Amino acid sequence: MREKIICTPHHVRPTATRRNDLTISVPGEGATVQILRHLLEHLREGAIFVRYDMRVVFFNAAARQHAMSRGADPTTYPGRVIWDILGYPPDLPSRRAVEQAARDRLPAYLTTRGTFGPYWVELDIVPLEDGILLTYRDATPSRGAAVAQAAVDRELRMTNERLQVVIDEAPLAILVIDNDARVLHWNPAAEAMFQWTEAEILGKPLPLIPDEERAAFEVNAERARRGESLRANPSRRKRKDGVVLDVQISSSPLRNEQGDVTGAIVMITDVTSQRKLEAQLRMAQKMEAVGLLAGGVAHDFNNLLTAIKGFASLLEMTLAPDEQGAEFLAEINKAADRAAGLTSQLLAFSRRQLLRPEALDLNARVREIERMLRVLLRDDAELLFDLDPELSQVLADPGQVQQVILNLMVNARDAVHGRSNGKVTLRTRNAELRDEFAQWGVEDAPGHYVRLDVEDNGMGMDRATQARIFDPFFTTKEPGQGTGLGLATVFGIVKQSNGYVWVRSAPDEGATFSVYLPRARGVSRVSGAAMIIDGSGRNETVLLVEDEDAVRRVARRALELHGYRVIEAADGQTAIELASHAHVDILVTDVMMPGILGPRLADELRARRPQLPVLFMSGHTDEIVRDGLLDPATPFLGKPFTPSQLAHKVREAIEQARNGA
């Protein structure tokens, strides 16, 4: 600790000494010194007069009292060099300041630590004609307050710095606005989220508010000016490029020293991806609900349709083409086919179809149905093809892929209907998906895909329509003009094929539907040169197992009319008993039956005859798909079916078994 500067004369013989107050006079004192001595003697501050050679001339009563309180004898100080008394080394800043003031003959002021204790001294240096006057006072209380204030200021500064780091590093967009919605602070996360830089936005009105959110913003701004806080308020805000984000906003008022609200600190969370995921979940739940409904009625409904179509077809075989009844039966078959188509679409969008994927040339499939597509478009639009000649094969069900193309083409036709220069482009490309899944709000599955685009220049869609475009039964067409299942069916087929479908559109700017199907790897292409099978039997014996009486009757009659012998059973146990007493050439069985299921029945019979051909039938494909009851390569006939379709499938299964397929 540095010492208070307390000096006394030394090496000068006093001419008179008053022992009662230790006032010391020196021979030859000038008038200036005498006047100073009398003026300073009774000051409360310590005062020391030093000649320019730094030898002490006198010190007042307060200075003498300070010296005696330390046990020193102030009578020995006059004439001594002040630095010897205080013990200040030459390089001490306070000593150098005094000597500099003496040389420059300029007054100075400094604060220094005392050398005899933990205290602070304020020192005034006043150059005079014969020397310099040093006056000092105890500055410890004020210095302590200053030190404390400095500590408070330092801690406040550090707190502000830490807070600034927190704000700058926060993943939330944090901004400060005044009562007029002008931006006062804009953190890096806000810049990253909304694309405006700090320089572009500070001091300017908040530019984030979409027109449709302006009224709600004004209401919340008024609440903020009243001092209210907001917590996770859902809203929408736009970026610099015009993209509108779904956000959650929290805010707290800022007040001045008088307690008046001067603005607000606002924290914004981008929940756009979360909202997309929620929308995907809602769509999945809706599809699941409708799918459960479809699956629940499909079995019974398809059994009824099988009986209707089957008996109608059998009756049609007995009538001459020109008979009036033949026309009526044709209408019955058409109605049944429409009902079967609706059931098939319900199962498709709910992803409960039994798909048979194979390596497929998508370009070849498009060319095969090109004529059909042109007829479908009629004169509504020009059809263009942009097919990549280096296109990879896809792994998909050929029939389902054709349904996807047709449904998308119907949607494009309706979009361009009535517009001049209508144009629809069908495009294929190889594609690699990396980080598109976050935008789509689906589970990541990066890899190689084949992309099919159906692009039109029709009326386009707004965001609200796009959000519901794949919903079952949603349609923008007039009543009676559509079922609302076309795009829902596309969605279901693509998802069940482990692919993705995405739409890009805007009002009056057309639409592009992009389907991504997984690229086939290491899967051999199924040959297009299939056997020509007419469905006629060679007196083979068919074990027919079906729990629905009407379906069993129509199936038996159909097989018998095509040249097969039929043994029928209503359940699996009866079938096992019949097979133990008769030769069977093929087992034709329903999948879902009371007691023994079709696949287990087939296993029981094949344990006795491993090469027995089996044809499965079912109108309940949801259980088959969900529970994995059948291998997709297994011969299968979905209900409803016609007698000729059944006979054809039976013949095909028998021939495949004979050829070792």
Side-chain angles (χ1 to χ4, degrees):
M1 302 292 288
R2 298 176 184 170
E3 180 195 24
K4 290 181 181 178
I5 302 177
I6 302 174
C7 306
T8 55
H10 185 57
H11 294 312
V12 178
R13 186 172 61 251
T15 57
T17 301
R18 296 174 59 189
R19 295 297 178 185
N20 57 340
D21 59 4
L22 295 181
T23 300
I24 301 173
S25 61
V26 179
E29 284 183 348
T32 300
V33 176
Q34 291 292 337
I35 293 171
L36 283 175
R37 183 188 298 278
H38 289 291
L39 289 175
L40 301 177
E41 179 64 21
H42 300 292
L43 282 180
R44 296 176 61 184
E45 297 180 349
I48 307 170
F49 186 73
V50 182
R51 292 197 298 265
Y52 283 111
D53 60 2
M54 294 297 123
R55 293 186 180 276
V56 176
V57 176
F58 74 85
F59 47 93
N60 71 349
R64 295 194 300 272
Q65 186 63 38
H66 294 156
M68 289 187 294
S69 67
R70 299 195 308 272
D73 182 3
T75 62
T76 65
Y77 287 174
R80 292 178 59 187
V81 176
I82 191 171
W83 308 130
D84 294 338
I85 298 171
L86 299 179
Y88 281 14
D91 59 347
L92 194 67
S94 55
R95 172 174 172 174
R96 293 169 60 185
V98 172
E99 292 174 341
Q100 184 66 40
R103 286 194 299 270
D104 296 340
R105 300 296 196 271
L106 294 174
Y109 167 82
L110 60 90
T111 301
T112 183
R113 280 184 174 274
T115 55
F116 299 105
Y119 54 87
W120 287 85
V121 175
E122 289 180 347
L123 179 63
D124 287 297
I125 308 168
V126 182
L128 299 172
E129 181 181 355
D130 300 324
I132 57 175
L133 175 66
L134 307 175
T135 60
Y136 65 91
R137 68 203 62 85
D138 188 357
T140 303
S142 60
R143 181 66 181 184
V147 171
Q149 183 62 47
V152 170
D153 292 342
R154 185 169 57 255
E155 183 61 30
L156 182 60
R157 185 174 61 256
M158 293 176 63
T159 300
N160 287 338
E161 290 174 354
R162 287 192 293 265
L163 181 59
Q164 187 66 46
V165 170
V166 170
I167 291 175
D168 288 345
E169 297 299 325
L172 305 179
I174 300 178
L175 51 146
V176 177
I177 58 175
D178 63 16
N179 285 334
D180 295 322
R182 288 190 297 267
V183 180
L184 305 179
H185 184 80
W186 185 256
N187 78 334
E191 181 174 324
M193 186 179 298
F194 296 108
Q195 301 179 342
W196 279 284
T197 65
E198 187 179 44
E200 291 175 317
I201 204 168
L202 285 185
K204 299 177 182 178
L206 196 64
L208 314 178
I209 316 302
D211 292 340
E212 64 272 17
E213 293 290 335
R214 177 62 61 181
F217 173 77
E218 295 297 341
V219 171
N220 289 330
E222 181 58 33
R223 292 174 58 189
R225 285 190 285 269
R226 293 198 302 264
E228 296 184 34
S229 297
L230 296 178
R231 292 291 180 270
N233 184 53
S235 188
R236 304 180 75 199
R237 293 292 182 265
K238 67 180 179 181
R239 298 191 318 208
K240 184 179 180 180
D241 60 4
V243 173
V244 178
L245 306 177
D246 292 307
V247 298
Q248 283 188 341
I249 301 175
S250 299
S251 68
S252 296
L254 295 177
R255 301 177 185 272
N256 59 19
E257 294 180 356
Q258 291 73 37
D260 299 326
V261 175
T262 59
I265 181 168
V266 182
M267 290 165 284
I268 303 178
T269 306
D270 182 0
V271 295
T272 305
S273 297
Q274 178 182 334
R275 293 290 181 265
K276 287 181 179 179
L277 289 174
E278 291 172 354
Q280 292 285 341
L281 177 60
R282 286 193 298 270
M283 177 178 287
Q285 290 172 334
K286 285 188 289 187
M287 293 179 63
E288 182 70 17
V290 178
L292 288 173
L293 175 62
V297 302
H299 184 261
D300 292 336
F301 190 54
N302 283 331
N303 279 335
L304 293 173
L305 288 175
T306 300
I308 293 171
K309 286 173 62 68
F311 284 119
S313 296
L314 292 176
L315 182 57
E316 190 175 22
M317 294 168 63
T318 66
L319 299 177
D322 58 349
E323 290 189 41
Q324 187 177 20
E327 180 184 352
F328 299 156
L329 288 173
E331 292 301 321
I332 292 174
N333 275 321
K334 287 181 182 178
D337 288 340
R338 288 184 61 191
L342 287 175
T343 305
S344 176
Q345 285 184 304
L346 287 170
L347 293 173
F349 80 74
S350 60
R351 288 175 273 172
R352 283 175 166 78
Q353 290 284 65
L354 184 61
L355 301 185
R356 298 172 180 273
E358 61 183 58
L360 178 68
D361 184 343
L362 197 56
N363 286 346
R365 197 66 181 177
V366 169
R367 294 189 186 98
E368 288 172 7
I369 62 174
E370 178 179 351
R371 181 179 178 82
M372 185 188 306
L373 297 178
R374 294 191 183 279
V375 171
L376 187 65
L377 282 182
R378 301 189 299 271
D379 297 327
D380 288 307
E382 178 185 5
L383 178 59
L384 303 175
F385 293 93
D386 181 10
L387 307 181
D388 184 355
E390 302 298 325
L391 194 69
S392 300
Q393 292 184 344
V394 298
L395 187 62
D397 184 306
Q400 298 300 320
V401 167
Q402 178 173 315
Q403 187 172 359
V404 166
I405 297 173
L406 291 175
N407 285 359
L408 290 177
M409 196 62 64
V410 168
N411 183 76
R413 179 200 66 191
D414 295 340
V416 300
H417 180 68
R419 298 173 71 92
S420 60
N421 301 319
K423 184 183 299 183
V424 177
T425 303
L426 198 154
R427 182 182 299 107
T428 59
R429 291 289 187 272
N430 291 316
E432 184 176 0
L433 297 180
R434 294 188 178 90
D435 54 4
E436 293 82 357
F437 308 98
Q439 176 190 4
W440 297 345
V442 297
E443 184 178 354
D444 288 8
H448 296 280
Y449 292 79
V450 171
R451 191 183 80 208
L452 168 71
D453 289 343
V454 177
E455 178 183 336
D456 66 72
N457 62 347
M459 65 185 69
M461 296 173 284
D462 56 22
R463 288 174 58 92
T465 302
Q466 291 180 56
R468 300 189 60 194
I469 195 68
F470 296 114
D471 286 7
F473 306 114
F474 173 77
T475 179
T476 58
K477 301 174 185 176
E478 296 295 327
Q481 298 299 311
T483 63
L485 290 175
L487 293 178
T489 300
V490 170
F491 183 89
I493 292 173
V494 172
K495 298 305 290 184
Q496 193 176 353
S497 302
N498 298 317
Y500 300 92
V501 58
W502 187 247
V503 60
R504 296 178 298 280
S505 183
D508 295 322
E509 295 183 13
T512 300
F513 286 83
S514 297
V515 173
Y516 295 85
L517 294 172
R519 192 178 302 182
R521 293 182 178 275
V523 180
S524 61
R525 172 186 284 278
V526 176
S527 173
M531 295 181 297
I532 300 176
I533 300 174
D534 62 9
S536 300
R538 278 80 161 163
N539 204 33
E540 292 98 341
T541 299
V542 178
L543 176 55
L544 174 64
V545 188
E546 168 62 59
D547 62 309
E548 184 68 32
D549 291 341
V551 176
R552 191 171 65 253
R553 288 198 304 272
V554 74
R556 174 172 186 156
R557 187 63 177 143
L559 291 172
E560 289 175 341
L561 287 175
H562 282 83
Y564 297 96
R565 297 175 62 248
V566 178
I567 303 173
E568 63 177 283
D571 58 72
Q573 188 59 47
T574 303
I576 292 174
E577 294 174 1
L578 291 173
S580 65
H581 297 94
H583 173 76
V584 176
D585 292 298
I586 184 172
L587 170 65
V588 178
T589 179
D590 194 12
V591 176
M592 305 300 297
M593 296 185 298
I596 301 177
L597 297 179
R600 182 183 168 191
L601 171 61
D603 292 340
E604 292 277 351
L605 297 185
R606 278 177 166 169
R608 305 174 187 177
R609 186 183 167 191
Q611 302 304 318
L612 178 67
V614 178
L615 172 64
F616 291 101
M617 308 178 295
S618 183
H620 220 236
T621 52
D622 55 341
E623 278 86 356
I624 297 173
V625 173
R626 185 176 65 245
D627 299 333
L629 295 174
L630 292 182
D631 187 318
T634 302
F636 175 80
L637 180 61
K639 299 176 183 178
F641 52 78
T642 64
S644 60
Q645 289 172 335
L646 173 61
H648 178 87
K649 275 293 187 180
V650 168
R651 184 80 259 155
E652 184 180 77
I654 292 174
E655 296 301 326
Q656 286 180 354
R658 286 177 177 173
N659 294 324

